């Protein structure tokens, strides 16, 4: 990941009052039971699944998907997906706007996130990420060969790896320039011949009358107030995923060409067509 995005003034932290507190409890308690109950079940199943199937996970991804779908039911956020999901081996790349991306992208498709190594050490979130099979990487060229081997093993096992090429999250109203360096591993001899990539646009529609950036989570915004704001919403907005046609890596001459193509498709899905200054 790169430095945090600070392109817009961050809203003041949300503090629930009155009926908002009731809605936080009404949604928050069952959501907590669902998430942590699902995590406990996943860990128990993994104790059996891992020694039998190794890197393959024939059962636990369905638990993760059930939890993510159930989360939207509890939150009351309508969720809709457009387009066909990729069947080929490869990676999914999407815009990054919120912590809700984890639920959004897992609810429809069984994927494994690729994240910076620091996340593994974060309290709570790191534990959840490890349990659900997140791939942690260090942005260190000395470890490039090892990371490529990890990608190859995971992709060969049929895992769909999910990358956020922007390198950080924004306000859900824009697409930041994709970093083409994140596509470099796809062009190595070990991966290029069988790799496919599917761009996905994640669209957030704020509740009526609220700031269009309502679901965006970026910069130095704290997680807890944003979670409380989402739980306390009197009426929720909606989320839409657009799955663009997957493309084969060998159809592109370079990582920059593939990065630009994916960025254009994601922007097209969000209706944000102006390409900002590229960051290699």
């Amino acid at each position: 990941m790169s430095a945090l995005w600070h392109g817009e003034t961050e809203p003041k932290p949300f503090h629930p009052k009155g009926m908002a507190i009731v809605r936080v409890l009404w949604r928050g308690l069952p959501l907590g039971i669902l998430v942590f109950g699902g995590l406990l079940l996943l860990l128990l199943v993994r104790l059996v699944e891992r020694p039998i199937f190794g890197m393959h996970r024939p059962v636990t991804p369905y638990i993760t998907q059930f939890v993510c779908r159930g989360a939207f039911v509890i939150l009351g956020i309508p969720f809709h997906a457009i387009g066909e999901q990729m069947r080929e081996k490869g990676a999914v790349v999407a815009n990054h706007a919120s912590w809700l991306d984890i639920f959004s992208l897992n609810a429809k498709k069984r994927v494994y996130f690729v994240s910076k190594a620091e996340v593994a050490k974060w309290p709570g979130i790191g534990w959840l990420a490890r349990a659900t099979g997140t791939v942690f990487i260090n942005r260190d060229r000395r470890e490039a060969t090892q990371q490529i081997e990890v990608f190859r093993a995971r992709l060969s096992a049929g895992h769909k790896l999910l990358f956020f090429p922007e390198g950080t999250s924004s306000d859900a109203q824009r697409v930041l320039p994709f970093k083409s360096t994140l596509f470099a591993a796809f062009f190595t001899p070990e991966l290029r011949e069988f790799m496919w990539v599917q761009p996905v646009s994640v669209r957030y529609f704020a509740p009526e009358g609220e700031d269009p950036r309502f679901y965006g989570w970026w910069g130095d915004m704290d997680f807890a107030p944003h979670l409380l704001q989402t739980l306390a919403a009197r009426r929720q907005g909606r989320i839409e995923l657009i799955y663009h046609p997957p493309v084969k890596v060998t159809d592109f001459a370079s990582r920059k060409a593939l990065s630009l193509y994916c960025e254009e498709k994601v922007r097209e899905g969000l209706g944000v067509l102006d390409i900002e200054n590229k960051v290699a």
Side-chain angles (χ1 to χ4, degrees):
M1 292 288 183
S2 70
L4 299 176
W5 179 72
H6 294 280
E8 290 286 343
T9 302
E10 299 166 15
K12 295 181 179 179
F14 175 79
H15 300 286
K17 298 178 182 179
M19 286 302 297
I21 297 176
V22 175
R23 289 191 291 271
V24 167
L25 295 174
W26 180 258
R27 291 171 175 155
L29 289 176
L31 181 63
I33 293 172
L34 173 67
V35 171
F36 290 103
L39 174 61
L40 177 60
L41 177 60
L42 185 149
L43 292 173
L44 291 173
V45 172
R46 189 62 183 151
L47 289 175
V48 178
E49 184 184 58
R50 184 170 185 175
I52 297 175
F53 299 101
M55 193 173 295
H56 295 274
R57 294 180 176 231
V59 179
T60 49
Y62 290 94
I63 298 174
T64 302
Q65 190 173 41
F66 171 81
V67 169
C68 292
R69 289 180 175 181
F72 287 124
V73 174
I74 292 171
L75 290 170
I77 301 178
F79 177 84
H80 181 61
I82 300 171
E84 296 293 329
Q85 298 179 47
M86 178 174 67
R87 296 181 180 274
E88 298 84 359
K89 292 181 179 180
V92 176
V93 296
N95 56 298
H96 192 16
S98 173
W99 55 270
L100 282 166
D101 294 343
I102 298 172
F103 291 91
S104 302
L105 292 160
N106 262 315
K108 185 64 178 177
K109 187 179 184 69
R110 292 180 294 281
V111 295
Y112 298 89
F113 290 83
V114 177
S115 177
K116 60 183 180 180
E118 300 93 289
V119 173
K121 301 176 183 178
W122 292 359
I125 294 177
W127 188 33
L128 286 167
R130 287 193 299 271
T132 53
T134 297
V135 180
F136 298 105
I137 60 173
N138 286 310
R139 299 297 162 81
D140 188 334
R141 291 186 178 181
R142 293 173 296 181
E143 298 184 21
T145 301
Q146 179 183 353
Q147 291 171 2
I148 290 170
E149 177 57 29
V150 171
F151 291 161
R152 187 201 63 76
R154 296 291 292 265
L155 292 165
S156 297
H159 295 185
K160 298 292 190 300
L161 300 181
L162 191 140
F163 295 78
F164 291 121
E166 293 165 290
T168 187
S169 58
S170 69
D171 60 0
Q173 297 301 296
R174 70 196 70 223
V175 178
L176 302 177
F178 278 18
K179 299 181 182 302
S180 64
T181 51
L182 296 178
F183 292 80
F186 302 166
F187 285 83
T188 60
E190 298 89 342
L191 301 179
R192 183 173 183 173
E193 293 304 317
F194 71 88
M195 275 285 296
W196 288 71
V197 178
Q198 181 168 39
V200 178
S201 302
V202 186
R203 303 184 69 187
Y204 290 95
F205 299 86
E208 186 176 352
E210 295 287 353
D211 188 322
R213 307 172 301 167
F214 184 83
Y215 291 118
W217 183 56
W218 74 93
D220 293 319
M221 292 172 64
D222 291 327
F223 171 69
H226 195 271
L227 171 62
L228 292 176
Q229 173 183 279
T230 304
L231 292 170
R234 181 180 300 177
R235 292 183 180 179
Q236 295 284 10
R238 60 188 177 91
I239 300 173
E240 181 178 88
L241 295 186
I242 302 176
Y243 288 92
H244 302 284
V247 292
K248 203 170 190 301
V249 171
T250 52
D251 290 339
F252 294 83
S254 67
R255 59 181 172 85
K256 290 187 177 182
L258 177 57
S259 173
L260 181 60
Y261 172 84
C262 291
E263 181 180 338
E264 289 174 341
K265 283 298 178 182
V266 172
R267 287 179 179 277
E268 179 183 310
L270 267 69
V272 183
L273 300 180
D274 56 312
I275 303 295
E276 301 177 31
N277 293 329
K278 294 291 295 174
V279 178

